[in-house]
Amino acid sequence: MEFENVNGNLGLNLVATVWWRRDRPHELLTSPADAQNWARSVNVRLSKAMSTQDRDDLVALRELIYRECARRLADQIPALVPMADGRSELPRLLEIARNPPTWPQMDQIGQLYQTGPATALKSLVARSALDLFDGPDAPRVRECRSDRCTRLFIDRSRGKRVWCGMSTCGNREKAARWRARHPSPGHS
């Protein structure tokens, strides 16, 4: 499985490992191997194989970040449903972020990457999410406006970006609009 990390933040990239969250959720981290592949896709090479518990903890962190985003975006995006009591997830994120994070390494050809155990990966992700929630990009978090997509992303455009990425949802939406305006001959 290839992961598309187009969200602008490591925490949001993890949140994007569930597709079509509202109507028919599709889990991308179904196994420890999937979770380890996701880690590699964000340039983290784990120092030991991810266990089922590590995968479950990563999924729990993902949902924690999603709920905090939903709580913050509830006024902007009615489709997102915050926690019933509206509580912040920040205390739990802080607890996870207090673990030692990954550390930089360099491979034989000079490419930098991060390494460490699964707890370090979770710390790195939690720190990234906290940086997002407390930083200048916090008001720029959006949900993709494609009918099928529920990815959250940081809109750093000058205007109002509406799709998580042009190579995915943007192209699909533009192609669908073009087909609607230009029906094939004989298909009226």
Side-chain angles (χ1 to χ4, degrees):
M1 148 123 311
E2 286 209 24
F3 295 94
E4 295 177 349
N5 297 305
V6 297
N7 309 75
N9 175 275
L10 187 58
L12 295 182
N13 287 341
L14 180 59
V15 168
T17 61
V18 171
W19 288 350
W20 312 303
R21 193 176 276 276
R22 280 189 302 277
D23 55 353
R24 51 188 176 109
H26 178 72
E27 175 65 63
L28 300 180
L29 304 180
T30 60
S31 69
D34 290 339
Q36 190 140 347
N37 287 338
W38 177 80
R40 273 188 92 66
S41 80
V42 294
N43 206 30
V44 175
R45 299 179 191 173
L46 296 176
S47 56
K48 71 176 206 177
M50 191 169 278
S51 69
T52 300
Q53 185 61 55
D54 293 332
R55 177 259 175 211
D56 293 348
D57 291 346
L58 191 62
V59 167
L61 173 59
R62 176 191 69 201
E63 295 308 305
L64 195 141
I65 294 168
Y66 176 76
R67 286 191 305 269
E68 182 63 22
C69 286
R71 186 184 73 75
R72 290 164 175 263
L73 295 174
D75 294 335
Q76 298 170 30
I77 304 172
L80 291 174
V81 180
M83 294 175 57
D85 61 8
R87 287 182 312 161
S88 172
E89 297 284 356
L90 293 180
R92 180 71 182 120
L93 275 172
L94 286 167
E95 183 181 320
I96 295 167
R98 286 186 191 114
N99 287 310
T102 58
W103 54 90
Q105 286 283 52
M106 187 181 298
D107 65 17
Q108 298 87 348
I109 61 170
Q111 297 290 326
L112 291 175
Y113 63 92
Q114 296 289 311
T115 192
T119 55
L121 170 65
K122 291 181 292 186
S123 177
L124 182 69
V125 172
R127 289 167 188 240
S128 180
L130 288 167
D131 286 346
L132 171 65
F133 297 144
D134 191 43
D137 286 332
R140 296 176 178 175
V141 174
R142 310 261 187 274
E143 183 184 46
C144 183
R145 295 295 186 213
S146 175
D147 290 340
R148 295 181 46 197
C149 186
T150 56
R151 279 190 195 160
L152 301 176
F153 64 91
I154 298 171
D155 178 7
R156 292 190 179 112
S157 70
R158 291 182 188 197
K160 286 274 190 172
R161 190 170 126 201
V162 295
W163 299 304
C164 58
M166 278 307 296
S167 65
T168 53
C169 293
N171 283 341
R172 273 195 303 267
E173 293 292 319
K174 285 185 171 192
R177 287 182 193 165
W178 189 88
R179 283 190 301 273
R181 286 191 316 269
H182 303 91
S184 299
H187 291 93
S188 309

